[in-house]
Amino acid sequence: MPRPAIAPPESTVNTACPLDCPDGCSLTVHLRGGRITRIDGGTDNPVTHGYICAKVRRFADRIYGDDRVLHPAIRNGAKGRGRFRRATWEEALDLIARRFRETADAHGAEAILPFCYGGSNGMLTQDFMDAVLFRRLGTSRLLRSVCAAPTGAANMGLYGKMASVVYQDYPDARLILVWGVNPGVSGIHLMPYLKDARDRGATIVVIDPRATSIARQADLYLPVRPGTDVVVALAIHRHLFEGGFADQAFLDAHTTGASALRERAQPWTFERAAAVSGVDADLIRRVADLYARTSPALVKCGWGLERNRNGGSAAAAVLALPAVGGKFGVRGGGYTMSNSASWQLTRPWLKDQEPATRVVNMNHLGRVLTGETDTPVRALFVYNCNPAVTMPDQARVLAGLEREDLFTVVFDQVLTDTALYADVLLPATTFFEHYDYSKAYGPMSLQLGRPVIEPVGESRSNNDVFAELLRRLDLARDDDPADDLDAMLASLAGMPEQIGNELRETWRATPPYDGRPIQFVDVFPLTGDGKVHLCPSHLDEEAPEGLYAFRAEPGTADYPLALISPASDRTISSTLGELSRPAIVLEINPQDALARNIEDGDEVTVFNSQGEVKLKARVTALVRPGTVSTPKGVWRRHTSSGWTSNVLVPDSLSDLGAGACFNDARVNVKKG
Ligand SMILES: Nc1nc2c(c(=O)[nH]1)N[C@H]1C(S)=C(S)[C@@H](COP(=O)(O)OP(=O)(O)OC[C@H]3O[C@@H](n4cnc5c(=O)[nH]c(N)nc54)[C@H](O)[C@@H]3O)O[C@H]1N2
Ligand SMILES: Nc1nc2c(c(=O)[nH]1)N[C@H]1C(S)=C(S)[C@@H](COP(=O)(O)OP(=O)(O)OC[C@H]3O[C@@H](n4cnc5c(=O)[nH]c(N)nc54)[C@H](O)[C@@H]3O)O[C@H]1N2
Ligand code: SF4
Ligand SMILES: [Mo]
């Protein structure tokens, strides 16, 4: 049953954006004849107040666009060709249930792999009825490590994911290190606060291989070689310890592991760090000295620095700075990492225990689908994810998806590159057509989003569909939510009482500490003993060469350039990638271009032993020598060869969190 739209057809309605972006905007949606005519920034969220990104402004083009999946479909042609015949929901769901049952009977349910990541990132569209289904079925489990795994492991290990400094407190800082993050693109509502901080006299330092918009406005810019942040941070630690700037009283009272960190920082003089990172020793010295002497000092740690073999240690070393430097305890001092855990919400509605089935690292999708594993994957259910273009080692991922003996379900809103490989394709609603939570991970904000239009075509929400599958597989129980509305109500009932009540009444919850917690005044580490663990033994054991170790370049002489693929202003990961866009470019430094006889605008081939991608060269000094850059989230149709940067990305893992090493791709570039 399609759910009736809750908004009158001619109206202006408020909702919230749940997409995987730190900001959590409130939205105002204009409707005419029951269709969305305009999407603007809403005023409910005081931080994102009034404006939104250009991506979500264009979201109606996605909702009503040609690529929207409008009804269930069953493959009717060779794998990967995207040829389908229309099917009813009954037929499609019956087929999935039958194939799942047959697979489980013949090979065990571990032969089924659910594959999902953030999707639209809400709490209702992931780890709800989907998790109920897959837990009860006893399928393989997925390690969701494509993003935020190394930074998450570091933040958890050192601080137990203590709540972070929020955007509103940036103007109180006197010094801000913007480290491996590009807020001008990936969290735009931080930018006015950074400007405000600067106007009030704060010094801004940016550490990034590319001169991003914030780097160009910064007082100091460190064009670091990808994957080398750990040594830059350790050189700052060394200066703090050796220069007598370490806050010994704080270290004694609130930390463990300071001497281990000091020992590991010891070898990293400014000169050695400079030789490895490619950043001038004097620049590192200036930053270290500024950090030592300035308060309030703030470190904004992003995700760009984690996507390599040293990413976990880099994040740990960066996050350890305020503890060693004694920067906590004042507004505008401390660190910002993800605030996703700061509401401390659990998911009490998930009553089923996770089964002890095998865990598959999502970064290894290609090798798991193509290689020899104890229990080969025979059925794959992809939702909230577009692995054909977002996972490492694209060639193997696509080879796996092409397997004739693999039964693949893809449940998505649009005909993604992954959907082309589906045996059964299911149409999903967007967050304008179902309920979902918008939980920001930059500011502290929690809003409930609501359907503002009827589901387009025959699309259905995740909870509706997974509840249907539970029934078809005889796994449903009487107290399960029956559909999306039920699931939403169950989630509200499972929230802490005040939050649940507020969301029910105003669609928005009041964050603790007025949404502006001060670290070590209002919030403290959520580690077992309440201390900062500067060198926790479990991380030290997990990292192949120990925590804070620098592991050298993966490259060979044939592939001297580091390829990075950061967020762009066109897509959220690959979401919205179906919309038209200018040609995809490879940014290359003039020095590297000249050596290869490449001019601005040339067609170039970026290649390594895994594959090649054809792109247009943009010769620009904004990217450091030795590094080339192309946006993440590109679709196959946007390159002439049909391959995207992920064909060049190895499926090796980061030192902590078994995360993806997108920025460890080493390549060469040639004209043509
Ligand atoms: N517009 C838009 N917004 C987004 C997204 C999007 O796709 N588009 N994606 C969302 C998601 S899923 C995430 S995880 C976040 C990510 O947001 P960010 O934290 O900004 O992460 P990235 O864009 O991966 O990289 C950030 C910066 O790190 C730099 N970088 C790359 N390698 C290194 C390195 O080794 N060291 C250092 N210091 N810097 C490096 C890149 O040049 C880039 O400028 O953004 C979210 N917001
Ligand atoms: N080269 C390179 N690749 C990268 C990165 C990089 O830095 N470089 N970054 C990585 C990062 S940070 C991330 S987070 C990953 C993200 O990679 P993915 O998890 O694949 O994320 P998206 O590309 O946004 O795809 C999400 C899909 O979910 C669908 N979806 C949204 N909402 C719903 C829903 O309610 N129901 C269903 N059924 N479907 C829904 C969307 O339509 C979309 O197709 O990409 C990674 N890929
Ligand atoms: S993607 Fe981010 S900036 Fe854009 S509307 Fe959503 S929360 Fe706001
Ligand atoms: Mo991400």
Side-chain angles (χ1 to χ4, degrees):
M1 261 292 288
R3 177 163 310 290
I6 58 164
E10 313 287 325
S11 60
T12 301
V13 206
N14 292 331
T15 186
C17 175
L19 292 179
D20 190 347
C21 160
D23 293 3
C25 289
S26 47
L27 304 175
T28 298
V29 186
H30 303 268
L31 302 178
R32 191 167 306 145
R35 280 172 71 94
I36 296 177
T37 53
R38 212 170 84 215
I39 302 166
D40 284 329
T43 50
D44 288 347
N45 181 338
V47 177
T48 66
H49 194 96
Y51 74 98
I52 55 169
C53 64
K55 304 177 294 296
V56 170
R57 267 185 199 288
R58 291 220 288 175
F59 212 89
D61 295 348
R62 173 184 179 83
I63 295 176
Y64 305 117
D66 292 343
D67 292 286
R68 187 74 196 260
V69 182
L70 294 171
H71 48 73
I74 291 173
R75 178 164 69 94
N76 170 10
K79 281 251 184 186
R81 289 295 174 81
R83 300 242 164 79
F84 299 100
R85 69 171 172 80
R86 184 168 179 167
T88 62
W89 272 104
E90 289 297 305
E91 185 187 8
L93 292 174
D94 281 345
L95 176 59
I96 296 167
R98 179 166 62 79
R99 292 295 299 261
F100 274 17
R101 210 177 260 127
E102 285 170 3
T103 303
D105 288 348
H107 309 285
E110 284 192 345
I112 303 170
L113 179 66
F115 201 88
C116 71
Y117 191 68
S120 36
N121 218 41
M123 283 198 295
L124 290 184
T125 44
Q126 182 161 277
D127 290 337
F128 215 108
M129 297 311 287
D130 52 333
V132 174
L133 172 70
F134 295 123
R135 286 180 184 196
R136 286 185 196 159
L137 256 176
T139 63
S140 285
R141 292 177 292 163
L142 188 72
L143 185 68
R144 296 197 198 126
S145 47
V146 75
C147 173
T151 46
N155 193 11
M156 179 57 97
L158 269 67
Y159 293 99
K161 292 200 176 167
M162 171 169 68
S164 283
V165 177
V166 294
Y167 296 4
Q168 303 95 298
D169 285 341
Y170 276 59
D172 284 279
R174 303 287 304 159
L175 171 67
I176 304 173
L177 308 190
V178 179
W179 206 314
V181 62
N182 181 15
V185 162
S186 63
I188 57 172
H189 295 87
L190 180 57
M191 292 300 273
Y193 293 98
L194 284 168
K195 182 176 181 309
D196 199 8
R198 261 210 96 188
D199 290 347
R200 293 216 222 161
T203 303
I204 311 253
V205 177
V206 174
I207 301 106
D208 195 306
R210 290 184 310 150
T212 56
S213 60
I214 187 63
R216 300 198 292 276
Q217 297 166 49
D219 300 279
L220 292 171
Y221 165 52
L222 279 57
V224 70
R225 231 175 237 145
T228 65
D229 300 87
V230 60
V231 308
V232 177
L234 288 178
I236 302 177
H237 280 295
R238 181 180 192 277
H239 181 70
L240 295 175
F241 282 118
E242 307 305 318
F245 298 108
D247 185 339
Q248 201 55 51
F250 182 87
L251 290 175
D252 290 343
H254 297 290
T255 73
T256 66
S259 53
L261 170 57
R262 180 177 189 156
E263 232 166 70
R264 292 168 200 206
Q266 179 57 36
W268 293 104
T269 59
F270 294 128
E271 287 69 26
R272 274 198 71 200
V276 167
S277 67
V279 179
D280 203 64
D282 259 350
L283 258 180
I284 308 176
R285 178 179 293 113
R286 279 171 68 192
V287 174
D289 212 49
L290 264 173
Y291 191 75
R293 295 175 195 279
T294 314
S295 185
L298 187 51
V299 184
K300 162 71 183 157
C301 179
W303 294 269
L305 58 71
E306 76 163 19
R307 312 191 198 288
N308 63 75
R309 66 210 175 276
N310 299 315
S313 288
V318 168
L319 294 177
L321 286 169
V324 175
K327 304 299 179 188
F328 289 120
V330 287
R331 195 174 292 287
Y335 75 87
T336 306
M337 188 63 251
S338 169
N339 249 330
S340 65
S342 62
W343 291 81
Q344 294 184 51
L345 298 178
T346 56
R347 293 175 187 261
W349 50 84
L350 264 190
K351 296 183 199 107
D352 299 270
Q353 289 295 313
E354 261 204 286
T357 50
R358 72 156 161 188
V359 176
V360 170
N361 186 325
M362 70 191 305
N363 296 314
H364 286 160
L365 179 63
R367 77 168 64 191
V368 167
L369 289 183
T370 54
E372 299 293 310
T373 47
D374 295 346
T375 315
V377 174
R378 295 178 193 268
L380 181 72
F381 194 122
V382 181
Y383 62 108
N384 296 351
C385 199
N386 186 12
V389 294
T390 55
M391 297 300 132
D393 198 359
Q394 186 176 39
R396 267 208 280 191
V397 171
L398 297 187
L401 290 173
E402 248 163 43
R403 258 176 52 199
E404 272 306 324
D405 64 336
L406 178 72
F407 175 70
T408 303
V409 181
V410 179
F411 181 22
D412 207 309
Q413 301 159 345
V414 293
L415 195 64
T416 61
D417 285 323
T418 309
L420 297 174
Y421 289 85
D423 291 289
V424 179
L425 177 61
L426 302 176
T429 43
T430 70
F431 67 90
F432 293 96
E433 299 149 72
H434 58 230
Y435 293 99
D436 213 344
Y437 289 93
S438 161
K439 181 153 66 76
Y441 53 92
M444 280 180 82
S445 145
L446 179 67
Q447 301 171 88
L448 182 57
R450 61 189 108 181
V452 299
I453 54 168
E454 299 275 4
V456 169
E458 295 180 12
S459 61
R460 289 190 185 178
S461 70
N462 288 11
N463 285 321
D464 281 354
V465 169
F466 289 111
E468 283 281 357
L469 281 171
L470 276 157
R471 287 189 280 273
R472 277 180 168 70
L473 286 158
D474 297 323
L475 294 169
R477 292 186 196 142
D478 288 345
D479 61 345
D480 286 343
D483 59 17
D484 198 43
L485 178 61
D486 249 18
M488 189 275 281
L489 293 171
S491 72
L492 281 177
M495 293 271 166
E497 198 178 329
Q498 194 205 335
I499 294 180
N501 287 340
E502 281 188 330
L503 287 169
R504 237 177 248 116
E505 281 159 28
T506 65
W507 303 81
R508 178 171 172 73
T510 311
Y513 318 106
D514 203 23
R516 299 173 60 184
I518 301 177
Q519 293 175 321
F520 280 86
V521 172
D522 302 313
V523 290
F524 295 87
L526 298 168
T527 48
D529 57 4
K531 292 193 172 189
V532 188
H533 295 174
L534 292 172
C535 196
S537 55
H538 67 286
L539 296 189
D540 206 21
E541 279 155 28
E542 184 186 344
E545 292 175 29
L547 188 60
Y548 302 121
F550 170 72
R551 293 192 287 163
E553 283 285 303
T556 68
D558 293 339
Y559 307 114
L561 301 171
L563 171 70
I564 60 172
S565 40
S568 83
D569 59 1
R570 290 277 164 174
T571 60
I572 289 277
S573 294
S574 76
T575 299
L576 293 160
E578 77 280 7
L579 302 182
S580 65
R581 66 189 298 176
I584 307 297
V585 298
L586 179 81
E587 294 181 336
I588 182 168
N589 185 275
Q591 209 172 297
D592 296 320
L594 187 66
R596 291 166 179 79
N597 201 20
I598 291 166
E599 287 175 25
D600 194 55
D602 279 351
E603 168 119 345
V604 291
T605 303
V606 195
F607 62 98
N608 64 18
S609 59
Q610 290 183 214
E612 55 177 56
V613 186
K614 287 193 184 298
L615 299 166
K616 232 179 198 16
R618 177 180 292 154
V619 179
T620 169
L622 292 179
V623 61
R624 57 158 291 126
T627 298
V628 289
S629 177
T630 191
K632 83 164 167 178
V634 169
W635 284 35
R636 299 184 67 197
R637 64 175 77 158
H638 290 125
T639 68
S640 57
S641 62
W643 296 105
T644 75
S645 62
N646 277 329
V647 76
L648 305 168
V649 170
D651 72 352
S652 47
L653 301 176
S654 60
D655 52 351
L656 300 181
C661 289
F662 294 111
N663 298 340
D664 269 348
R666 292 297 178 268
V667 300
N668 210 336
V669 181
K670 64 184 181 204
K671 197 167 165 160

